[in-house]
Amino acid sequence: MPSSFTGARRAALRRRLLDWYAKHRRDLPWRRTGDPYRIWLSEAMLQQTRVETVIPYYQRFLARFPDIEALADADEQDVLKAWEGLGYYSRARNLKRAAEQVVAEHSGQLPSQAEDLDALPGIGPYTSGAIRSIAFGQAAPVVDGNVKRVLSRWLAEPALTERELWAAAADLVPEAAPGDFNQALMELGATVCLPRAPLCLTCPVRPLCNASASGQPENFPAPRKKAPPPEVRALSGLLRAQRGGRLLMLRRPSRGLLGGLWEIPSVAGDATEPLIEQLDSQGLRVVAREPLGEVRHVFTHRALTLRVVALERVAGRLRAGADPDQARWCTRREIEALPLSRLMQKVLALVDGNSP
Ligand code: SF4
C-alpha cells in the first residue's frame, strides 16, 4: 500500500488540520449536539446532499421526530413526507426501520459498538464510522468523496483503491478528538481542497501535501470519465373522478425507486397498454385521451422523460375494499399532504397548467 504516513508527518497533519478546524469550522446545527440520534440523522441526510439543502430538513425533521422513540412510533408516510424533496427515499425508510430496531433491541439508545450499528438498516461503513467517531469518540475512520480527494492529494496517488483509502484514513484518525478530525478532513475537502481548483495557498496542510508540491494537485485523484446516465421513458395517466374532479393517486411499492411515495398512475416505458392494465387491476376500465405534455427529470443513475396523458374512465369503479393506503381519489389539497417525489410535483404542476 503506497499510503502510509510517517509518524512525524502523521502527527503534523493531525495537528495542523485540527488547529485549522478549531478556527474555521462551519457552525452547523448538528455540530452543536452530542446526541447520537441527531448526529446519525445529519449523516443520513448529508449523503449525496449539500449542507445548505440539509439544514432546513434537519430542523423540521427533529421538530417532528425529536428522538428515536418518536421516529419508531411514527407512520412511515409522515416520515416520507418530512423527507419529501430530499431524494434517495430509501434513507428515510431505513432510518424509520432502524429506529424501530433500536427501540426493540437497544432500549431506544443508539448502540455504540460497530457490530450493533452495522446491523441496523441503512448504516454502512461511512455512517458507522461517522457515528462512532463523532457521537461516541471512537477512533473510527470515515471515507466519503471529500476524504477520498484529500487523501489522494496528500499522498499524490491518482488511483487509490477503496481498501487503501480506508486503511489510510484508519492510519490517520487519532485516539484524541477522532470526531473533530474526521469532520475536519471532510470540511477541508468541502471548503478548501476543492475538486477542480483547490485553494492550496490558504490550505493549512500545504507544506505536507505531495499533490500541491507536484504543482498539479487537481490531477489527484485521476479524473474518471463519467458516462451520461441512460435515457429512460415512462408514462403517467391523469384520471379524474367523474364528479368532484378528484384525481386517482396510487402508492408505489415500499421498496425500490421512490418507494412508498404517491403518484398518479405511472408505468415504465412509453406504451399505454401497461397503464390501462394497471388500472384494470384496480377495477377501472380506462382509455387514453389527449396528451398533456412531458416532464424531464434526471436521477443520479438515469435521465427520465415522462409523458403524461389524460385518461377517461369508461367502466368500473375503484375496487370496493381497495386499501386506501394504496389507492385513493384525492382533492388537490389532499394530494399536498401526501409524500410526493420532485418528479411527481413536476407532473402535477404540468397537470395544473393544463387544467381548465
Ligand atoms: Fe488540497 Fe492543496 Fe491543501 Fe493539498 S495543499 S490538501 S491539494 S488544498
Side-chain angles (χ1 to χ4, degrees):
M1 213 267 281
S3 84
S4 276
F5 299 94
T6 63
R9 187 174 173 215
R10 187 190 301 115
L13 281 167
R14 288 171 172 169
R15 191 180 59 251
R16 281 173 175 264
L17 192 62
L18 283 167
D19 285 352
W20 170 80
Y21 185 65
K23 291 191 198 99
H24 297 281
R25 58 188 263 164
R26 289 173 291 178
D27 179 26
L28 302 174
W30 45 89
R31 289 187 177 157
R32 297 180 211 139
T33 179
D35 179 354
Y37 168 61
R38 288 170 182 243
I39 291 163
W40 171 32
L41 175 66
S42 70
E43 292 299 339
M45 286 188 163
L46 285 164
Q47 284 166 34
Q48 319 275 346
T49 313
R50 295 166 59 82
V51 163
E52 302 74 37
T53 306
V54 165
I55 290 172
Y57 276 95
Y58 172 83
Q59 288 165 332
R60 282 198 301 267
F61 197 95
L62 283 174
R64 189 78 206 273
F65 313 110
D67 51 38
I68 291 180
E69 284 83 0
L71 182 57
D73 286 345
D75 190 311
E76 187 189 83
Q77 292 285 286
D78 295 335
V79 177
L80 286 170
K81 187 69 189 167
W83 205 271
E84 183 181 273
L86 205 49
Y88 301 98
Y89 294 92
S90 58
R91 294 181 296 174
R93 296 194 304 272
N94 282 333
L95 260 179
K96 156 90 178 122
R97 283 172 47 221
E100 290 168 5
Q101 197 170 322
V102 170
V103 167
E105 296 174 10
H106 303 284
S107 311
Q109 302 296 314
L110 193 65
S112 61
Q113 295 308 310
E115 61 269 28
D116 295 329
L117 276 173
D118 297 352
L120 296 173
I123 296 198
Y126 169 80
T127 312
S128 175
I131 293 170
R132 284 189 288 137
S133 59
I134 300 169
F136 297 115
Q138 298 171 21
V142 295
V143 174
D144 69 351
N146 284 321
V147 172
K148 184 174 179 174
R149 186 169 59 258
V150 171
L151 293 182
S152 300
R153 288 176 176 173
W154 285 0
L155 294 159
E157 286 288 344
L160 291 172
T161 63
E162 283 292 310
R163 183 188 286 263
E164 288 168 338
L165 284 160
W166 280 93
D171 181 36
L172 280 170
V173 65
E175 291 290 334
D180 279 355
F181 179 84
N182 283 340
Q183 291 184 89
L185 204 50
M186 293 188 272
E187 187 98 331
L188 191 79
T191 62
V192 178
C193 194
L194 304 173
R196 269 184 221 117
L199 307 173
C200 299
L201 290 178
T202 60
C203 179
V205 298
R206 184 160 70 114
L208 302 162
C209 177
N210 293 354
S212 181
S214 80
Q216 292 191 305
E218 62 284 353
N219 288 352
F220 304 92
R224 270 189 305 150
K225 275 229 169 74
K226 248 186 158 175
E231 293 283 337
V232 293
R233 294 191 67 86
L235 179 68
S236 289
L238 181 77
L239 183 60
R240 288 189 191 279
Q242 265 145 355
R243 265 176 297 175
R246 286 184 154 84
L247 301 185
L248 181 65
M249 298 294 291
L250 304 178
R251 190 175 172 205
R252 293 178 66 85
S254 297
R255 289 181 185 270
L257 185 69
L258 309 178
L261 301 183
W262 288 78
E263 62 185 12
I264 64 172
S266 303
V267 290
D270 200 41
T272 47
E273 290 76 21
L275 192 59
I276 290 170
E277 281 166 21
Q278 184 193 51
L279 291 168
D280 199 53
S281 72
Q282 299 282 350
L284 293 160
R285 291 260 313 283
V286 301
V287 290
R289 294 294 185 206
E290 72 276 12
L292 297 176
E294 286 192 347
V295 166
R296 178 127 177 107
H297 193 78
V298 180
F299 296 96
T300 321
H301 300 297
R302 67 193 85 177
L304 173 73
T305 302
L306 184 142
R307 188 162 68 91
V308 187
V309 295
L311 299 173
E312 184 185 333
R313 176 164 50 161
V314 291
R317 50 180 50 239
L318 194 56
R319 202 177 291 293
D323 183 351
D325 280 341
Q326 303 300 327
R328 59 175 95 144
W329 297 102
C330 296
T331 63
R332 200 62 184 78
R333 178 174 291 219
E334 287 164 345
I335 291 172
E336 290 305 321
L338 298 174
L340 305 168
S341 64
R342 274 211 202 285
L343 168 65
M344 199 41 51
Q345 285 169 343
K346 286 187 194 173
V347 170
L348 290 165
L350 176 82
V351 167
D352 289 344
N354 274 291
S355 291

